[in-house]
Amino acid sequence: MSPTSGTSVSSASSSSSSSSASWGDVSFKAACPDCGARFELDAGALRLVIGGSRRTTFYSFTCPQCGASVRKPAGERIVELLTGGGVSTLRSL
């Protein structure tokens, strides 16, 4: 999934038990639009803001490679993946 050119977020999960309903440890694959680095982030490294419109709904993180603050729009599928993976969510008006 690619919300915008140059940045992608997808989830990769592992679970210790296939019969468990839990996702286990979840990590998200991301890329920095500034330096081009590709990496995995855990849920604690991402923030999701759900606003009243598509323009005000976004996710953000800090690139572990170059330190850039990255902010990208989050469509419905991205919101679903991030909230399901335990990313901290802020709802704004």
Side-chain angles (χ1 to χ4, degrees):
M1 130 184 57
S2 198
T4 60
S5 177
T7 301
S8 64
V9 173
S10 59
S11 66
S13 64
S14 62
S15 179
S16 58
S17 170
S18 60
S19 63
S20 172
S22 166
W23 277 81
D25 295 329
V26 177
S27 63
F28 298 90
K29 293 181 181 181
C32 177
D34 290 352
C35 71
R38 295 184 178 280
F39 40 82
E40 290 190 6
L41 298 169
D42 64 19
L46 292 153
R47 296 289 177 260
L48 174 63
V49 176
I50 300 176
S53 71
R54 296 182 83 194
R55 273 191 13 209
T56 58
T57 300
F58 62 90
Y59 65 96
S60 63
F61 60 91
T62 300
C63 175
Q65 187 73 23
C66 71
S69 293
V70 179
R71 177 177 160 163
K72 292 292 175 182
E76 289 180 30
R77 181 70 178 138
I78 297 291
V79 169
E80 183 180 305
L81 285 170
L82 295 178
T83 55
V87 171
S88 176
T89 303
L90 173 67
R91 294 190 185 271
S92 66
L93 299 176

